[in-house]
Amino acid sequence: MSDSEHYDPLGPGRRVGEDPQEKRMPRGLVIRLFAYLVAGHVVAGFLYLLFVVAGSK
């Protein structure tokens, strides 16, 4: 039997002591966000360097 067979839409939504919101972001999301931020800054720095070098001539 699956849990959906025992689901009661009119019953209490959560257990006693269960918090409706998560306190922390998932670890994979934090790692991915950090990687995107670092990669984005590296690409932006590289483009800035290209413009500086091209403008100095």
Side-chain angles (χ1 to χ4, degrees):
M1 293 189 150
S2 67
D3 290 336
S4 63
E5 293 177 13
H6 301 290
Y7 177 71
D8 182 12
L10 300 178
R14 39 189 140 79
R15 295 179 181 91
V16 176
E18 184 179 354
D19 196 7
Q21 293 183 350
E22 295 182 17
K23 294 293 182 189
R24 295 172 41 134
M25 292 173 54
R27 186 175 193 168
L29 181 63
V30 171
I31 293 171
R32 199 174 333 143
L33 180 64
F34 180 74
Y36 288 160
L37 285 173
V38 169
H41 281 86
V42 167
V43 169
F46 178 70
L47 288 174
Y48 178 77
L49 181 65
L50 284 179
F51 279 99
V52 168
V53 170
S56 66
K57 291 188 176 187

